Amino acid sequence: MILILASSHCQMKHQFIGTLSHEVRTPLNCTCTLLTQSLTHLLTHTHLPTHSPSHSLTHSLTHSLTHPLTHSLTRSLTTHPLTMSSTLEHKLDSYNSVVVSSTSLPSDEVEFGRMLTSSLTQWKENGSKAVWLTIPLELASHVPIAVALGFSPYQASGTSFVLSVWLADGASKLPFAPTTALGVGGFVVNDKGEILAVREKNGPGTMFWKLPGGQVDPKEYIQEAAIREVEEETGIKCEFVSILSMRHMHEARLGNSDLFATCLLKPLTSTIVIQEDEIAAAKWMDIDEFLGQKIWRGVYEKIMRIGHTSAMNGYEGWDAEILPQGFGKA
């Protein structure tokens, strides 16, 4: 395998975080005042630009956390003091961090705030280093409550928000959120020495012929993604042969890093049926004509040359094998 290296946002005031970082160290009878102050600050001092992608979501979240809710939580904490039994369902991971069960969170915001406050105090006293909290999309109104209690956004998906908080002394040692996308391209050459090429309807690939490919889906292997993407875009069924190259670059989409694997695939069919919503055209193209396009420079020229060498039986690439994961007993 050849590894090729290439080389105005939402503003949220965080003055309350400093207070809350000490809140988990304070006795439970201090929680009511601190939580009320923090939620009130969150509601009155959070400003997001209207053009922000998160503006509408944040507006709906903060709208659900109205002052009556803050007062309700205050009254609840005052009337029913927190106890150690008010702990959210959780487990400890191998790093002594708490992983909260996302399926057992209270749906009521006030009860969630009560139990999370109690839980943080107990987990801190027990010496837990950090807390991982996954909030389902249907409980999105819980997110500002967790933020007010010191949690920071970690990552989000179409179904949930993941937040974290560092409880141990010193700087946080939690890993960074995933910042690298993984894409694949299929280098498909038939018995005539023709390469399968596509021209996209959108994006950078509208003005030239390129390899079919796309992003690897969650829990999908590289070789599976390459086969799927080629069939989706062109209708050509393939079998995996090898991984030819891996390109790593930074400052890609949304400022993230990007990995792109080029896979050699053997075509099993020949009739092209394009994916009309994404692909403008697809065809079997003379490989020299394909490689002769003026757009191939630098890292992409290298990738294409590797593919050409492989197609001419000069480079085998890297095989992919699915094996069990984990370690046996020492």
Side-chain angles (χ1 to χ4, degrees):
M1 176 183 183
I2 295 181
L3 176 64
I4 302 174
L5 302 179
S7 79
S8 144
H9 59 278
C10 300
Q11 297 290 334
M12 179 176 287
K13 304 298 182 182
H14 289 290
Q15 290 91 337
F16 59 89
I17 296 298
T19 301
L20 287 166
S21 65
H22 298 289
E23 187 274 332
V24 294
R25 299 180 176 87
T26 59
L28 291 177
N29 57 13
C30 298
T31 299
C32 174
T33 301
L34 290 172
L35 183 57
T36 302
Q37 292 173 348
S38 300
L39 287 176
T40 302
H41 187 96
L42 178 67
L43 292 166
T44 57
H45 291 81
T46 299
H47 303 284
L48 292 167
T50 56
H51 64 270
S52 166
S54 303
H55 178 266
S56 58
L57 175 59
T58 305
H59 174 76
S60 64
L61 295 180
T62 54
H63 179 73
S64 67
L65 271 177
T66 57
H67 286 287
L69 173 58
T70 304
H71 297 326
S72 297
L73 183 53
T74 303
R75 289 195 302 271
S76 177
L77 289 168
T78 304
T79 307
H80 306 286
L82 293 168
T83 64
M84 290 300 98
S85 61
S86 305
T87 305
L88 292 170
E89 185 177 332
H90 66 282
K91 63 180 181 180
L92 291 177
D93 65 16
S94 57
Y95 298 95
N96 195 29
S97 294
V98 172
V99 179
V100 180
S101 170
S102 61
T103 59
S104 61
L105 296 178
S107 58
D108 180 75
E109 291 97 336
V110 173
E111 182 63 17
F112 171 73
R114 280 174 45 83
M115 293 189 68
L116 184 56
T117 302
S118 171
S119 299
L120 286 170
T121 302
Q122 182 170 349
W123 295 331
K124 173 66 179 178
E125 292 177 352
N126 290 345
S128 297
K129 293 183 176 180
V131 181
W132 294 100
L133 174 63
T134 299
I135 298 179
L137 187 60
E138 60 269 22
L139 298 180
S141 59
H142 290 13
V143 172
I145 299 175
V147 171
L149 287 170
F151 282 82
S152 297
Y154 185 76
Q155 67 178 15
S157 67
T159 59
S160 64
F161 306 89
V162 180
L163 301 96
S164 64
V165 63
W166 182 252
L167 299 181
D169 294 333
S172 173
K173 296 182 180 179
L174 291 175
F176 291 108
T179 59
T180 302
L182 177 58
V184 293
F187 204 98
V188 187
V189 179
N190 63 19
D191 293 337
K192 300 176 182 179
E194 298 170 324
I195 188 170
L196 183 62
V198 300
R199 182 170 286 180
E200 297 178 331
K201 281 190 174 181
N202 304 289
T206 59
M207 303 300 293
F208 60 91
W209 294 97
K210 61 180 287 292
L211 301 178
Q215 189 162 332
V216 178
D217 287 342
K219 299 182 180 181
E220 185 178 41
Y221 291 107
I222 290 174
Q223 65 271 26
E224 296 171 341
I227 292 171
R228 174 185 55 77
E229 283 287 345
V230 169
E231 184 174 0
E232 287 179 354
E233 293 187 353
T234 69
I236 301 298
K237 295 182 181 295
C238 297
E239 67 179 14
F240 173 80
V241 179
S242 65
I243 297 175
L244 298 178
S245 65
M246 182 76 74
R247 187 266 290 135
H248 188 199
M249 66 176 289
H250 305 297
E251 299 301 324
R253 182 178 294 183
L254 300 179
N256 290 327
S257 299
D258 185 83
L259 285 169
F260 184 81
T262 307
C263 296
L264 180 64
L265 304 179
K266 178 182 179 181
L268 302 177
T269 60
S270 60
T271 302
I272 294 175
V273 180
I274 66 170
Q275 186 179 23
E276 293 186 357
D277 58 336
E278 293 187 12
I279 303 300
K283 67 178 182 178
W284 292 104
M285 187 175 184
D286 180 81
I287 193 167
D288 291 326
E289 180 186 355
F290 178 81
L291 295 175
Q293 296 179 99
K294 301 298 184 182
I295 49 93
W296 306 128
R297 297 179 181 177
V299 63
Y300 293 105
E301 181 181 12
K302 183 71 172 181
I303 289 173
M304 296 307 158
R305 292 300 172 187
I306 292 172
H308 182 266
T309 301
S310 178
M312 299 298 106
N313 299 316
Y315 171 62
E316 294 184 355
W318 195 14
D319 195 10
E321 186 176 0
I322 300 175
L323 299 171
Q325 299 183 54
F327 301 94
K329 294 183 179 180

